[in-house]
Amino acid sequence: MITEVLTEKKWYKACKTDDVPADGGAAVKIGKEQIAIFYFARKNQWYATQNQCPHKMQMILSRGMLGDQAGEPKVACPFHKQTFSLKTGKSLTGECDNIKTYPVKVDNGYVFIDVSAID
Ligand code: FES
């Protein structure tokens, strides 16, 4: 017998869409976590990740540069250019731990983050 565990999303109104620059990011604090929210305008996609870069533990990823690596949307840390997938959080340079990602949605001019995985 397979038991499926359904996790319910808890959407948190994080900011206005206008608070996040096109092809850029903004940081919000939710509970103990700093979350980086990105608007990838070229693809009209929204992403949310931890704001802390695992390379030197700097709270900086929201100020990173967005790009594309073989169709994978990514953010490059502005300090030492480590890059991470915005979809999965995977370290694309392979020299750092992966980063956390969070479901994100936009509704009526606001950005919502699923905080069910946040303490
Ligand atoms: S602190 Fe982010 S790459 Fe070094």
Side-chain angles (χ1 to χ4, degrees):
M1 179 177 189
I2 298 173
T3 304
E4 187 175 345
V5 177
L6 297 174
T7 55
E8 192 173 319
K9 290 190 176 5
K10 293 185 202 162
W11 294 109
Y12 177 87
K13 188 189 274 187
C15 64
K16 294 179 181 174
T17 54
D18 290 347
D19 294 333
V20 183
D23 292 315
V28 296
K29 190 163 186 200
I30 303 175
K32 296 176 189 162
E33 302 248 5
Q34 276 193 33
I35 310 292
I37 299 170
F38 300 99
Y39 176 41
F40 206 138
R42 286 171 276 162
K43 294 176 180 277
N44 194 29
Q45 294 287 327
W46 290 81
Y47 300 98
T49 71
Q50 69 183 53
N51 193 33
Q52 185 177 54
C53 177
H55 180 230
K56 297 286 184 187
M57 304 304 171
Q58 299 292 317
M59 293 293 187
I60 193 65
L61 289 178
S62 63
R63 312 222 7 221
M65 183 173 289
L66 303 186
D68 184 286
Q69 183 169 319
E72 187 78 10
K74 67 177 182 178
V75 60
C77 178
F79 282 158
H80 312 102
K81 310 297 184 244
Q82 297 291 321
T83 58
F84 305 91
S85 165
L86 290 170
K87 278 186 180 172
T88 65
K90 186 175 187 308
S91 168
L92 298 175
T93 41
E95 298 166 30
C96 284
D97 291 341
N98 299 334
I99 59 174
K100 288 185 272 185
T101 60
Y102 301 92
V104 57
K105 71 175 184 178
V106 168
D107 187 28
N108 205 22
Y110 286 90
V111 182
F112 294 82
I113 305 293
D114 175 18
V115 295
S116 56
I118 297 176
D119 292 333

